[in-house]
Amino acid sequence: MKPPTAAQRRIIEAADPQTGRLSGTEAQLMALVRARLAFRHPRPPRAFFLTPAGHRVRDEGAAPAAAPEPAGPVPDSGVFAARTGTETSAPGSEGPPRAREVRGAWEGLVELRRMTNPDGSRDRPCAWERTHLVRAAALALEAAGRSPAAPGREGYRVTDTPQPEAVAVREPSPEGLRACAAALEQAGWQVGEHTGARGGDRYLLASPRRA
């Protein structure tokens, strides 16, 4: 496969970090499809998304000088980011506008599953989710209608763990924790409830299901 041109790399690097959605002219995006770096969603608005090969190109290009991925959405960036509940600033869009953003991101991720899972499965996490665990789990929770924590508001919090392919999910109420577990299981994650070593707080340990 020929390496992407400088112009193609710029389009790839500007892709939505959550879903891999691309922006560009029809000709530019179709060239990426022919290079197997992107695919086109079959349903309207028939947007273009990165394939796993496209994600690798973007990750490799960003690796030398990449800064740590921010915990929350970059203010005024115009780029969708799943809310992990660990953000320190007030959320941006709320209500119906946010719900539309989340729904679009989730639909894009489900389509990415169909395109990249060997069996075309939509109900099992794909490779992208395994390399973006916190974001993927947060998107699954928000898409299921769960509310992330925010300044002055309780809700779920998704954080990394030392364990490979596992995130921790915390929610202040037992009912909320159970609802988060149900949402993640519905989204194709394996979930177990645990008690913290300090303070005895209950939390979920969640991993993307492989089969």
Side-chain angles (χ1 to χ4, degrees), residues 160-181:
D160 275 318
T161 73
Q163 299 188 39
E165 287 204 357
V167 297
V169 179
R170 289 177 169 80
E171 233 277 3
S173 71
E175 296 79 11
L177 198 64
R178 286 194 293 271
C180 286

Side-chain angles (χ1 to χ4, degrees), residues 4-208:
T5 66
Q8 288 175 329
R9 281 189 176 275
R10 285 194 293 271
I11 293 172
I12 290 170
E13 290 166 4
D16 186 314
Q18 180 65 36
T19 64
R21 184 168 180 169
L22 295 159
S23 298
T25 68
E26 180 87 5
Q28 289 172 327
L29 298 176
M30 287 305 300
L32 289 174
V33 171
R34 289 192 293 273
R36 299 185 179 180
L37 298 173
F39 69 90
R40 192 170 197 175
H41 198 292
R43 295 190 297 275
R46 303 197 68 199
F48 292 81
F49 297 86
L50 290 175
T51 62
H55 279 288
R56 285 195 295 273
V57 169
R58 185 179 63 177
D59 292 343
E60 289 165 4
E69 187 176 3
V74 179
D76 302 321
S77 67
V79 176
F80 175 87
R83 292 177 183 164
T84 65
T86 61
E87 295 81 9
T88 56
S89 59
S93 60
E94 291 285 1
R98 178 63 182 181
R100 286 193 294 271
E101 292 174 1
V102 172
R103 183 169 59 252
W106 178 251
E107 289 175 353
L109 183 56
V110 170
E111 181 63 15
L112 186 63
R113 289 178 174 186
R114 186 187 73 80
M115 294 291 292
T116 61
N117 278 332
D119 60 355
S121 172
R122 291 182 173 90
D123 60 5
R124 192 177 71 253
C126 61
W128 183 89
E129 291 167 271
R130 298 180 191 283
T131 58
H132 299 78
L133 292 169
V134 172
R135 295 288 184 192
L139 177 56
L141 289 170
E142 200 173 355
R146 306 307 305 163
S147 296
R153 183 183 73 193
E154 292 186 337
Y156 69 75
R157 295 177 183 272
V158 185
T159 57
D160 275 318
T161 73
Q163 299 188 39
E165 287 204 357
V167 297
V169 179
R170 289 177 169 80
E171 233 277 3
S173 71
E175 296 79 11
L177 198 64
R178 286 194 293 271
C180 286
L184 287 169
E185 288 171 349
Q186 182 68 26
W189 291 63
Q190 296 180 147
V191 182
E193 190 170 334
H194 300 265
T195 301
R198 298 178 181 178
D201 64 312
R202 301 291 289 173
Y203 68 95
L204 304 176
L205 200 61
S207 301

